[in-house]
Amino acid sequence: MLKAGAVRRLTVLRAHRIGWGLWADLVALHRTTGTDVTVVHHAELPVDLARLLRHCDHRILTTHAGVRALHPPAGTFGEP
């Protein structure tokens, strides 16, 4: 079970190692709270996981440039 308070962005690394139950929890967290969940998955998506993601707003990024475009770095201190 996941519990969170006022979390707006969550990043999960090495997600290819987590179990099906945690995947379902992450999707439920996103759906019920609107939290942006970024998942780094270093393997081909299993068929059942691909089916789960069909029912949820998601993007699959395969390049570092794609990730940078999604979450651009913050400006340097003092910049507008």
Side-chain angles (χ1 to χ4, degrees), residues 5-69:
V7 174
R8 295 288 165 232
R9 186 178 292 168
L10 173 69
T11 301
V12 178
L13 302 175
R14 298 175 59 109
H16 58 283
R17 300 187 57 129
I18 65 176
W20 177 252
L22 187 53
W23 273 105
D25 287 345
L26 290 170
V27 169
L29 178 70
H30 167 70
R31 286 182 176 170
T32 59
T33 67
T35 299
D36 284 336
V37 179
T38 301
V39 178
V40 179
H41 191 278
H42 295 285
E44 218 32 62
L45 289 180
V47 173
D48 53 351
L49 182 54
R51 283 189 200 121
L52 175 69
L53 292 176
R54 277 194 311 209
H55 303 288
C56 131
D57 176 27
H58 74 284
R59 291 177 207 88
I60 296 177
L61 304 171
T62 58
T63 66
H64 191 255
V67 174
R68 279 194 320 262

